[in-house]
Amino acid sequence: MVGFDDAAVVGLIMALVQLAKESGFPARWAPLLSLALGVAAGIFVVSPGDVVQGILAGVAMGLAAVGLYSGAKNVTKGSEKHG
């Protein structure tokens, strides 16, 4: 089960994806990278003894990281348009 401790992993995934993009990683592949990092974190950090649970938690964390980034980006772009 994804808990409050795992929310920190979502932030870490977002930071790693942003770092990868700044290092030249194509932005269009960022959601896939986020998902892959989430699954890896789910398997190796969240549920090391249960691969299926780790994959499910990782998918949730990776998608959450993509959604948080997208939401923040939309809010900042919206505020730039409306001053």
Side-chain angles (χ1 to χ4, degrees):
M1 177 175 211
V2 178
F4 289 112
D5 295 341
D6 304 330
V9 177
V10 172
L12 179 62
I13 292 169
M14 290 175 61
L16 290 173
V17 170
Q18 187 63 31
L19 182 65
K21 289 192 313 185
E22 290 175 5
S23 298
F25 189 79
R28 69 181 184 150
W29 295 106
L32 188 60
L33 177 61
S34 179
L35 191 60
L37 288 172
V39 170
I43 292 172
F44 296 111
V45 176
V46 176
S47 297
D50 187 359
V51 175
V52 173
Q53 181 65 32
I55 291 171
L56 292 174
V59 166
M61 290 186 297
L63 292 176
V66 170
L68 281 173
Y69 177 79
S70 175
K73 187 171 85 171
N74 289 338
V75 167
T76 58
K77 282 190 176 189
S79 65
E80 288 174 2
K81 284 183 181 177
H82 295 73

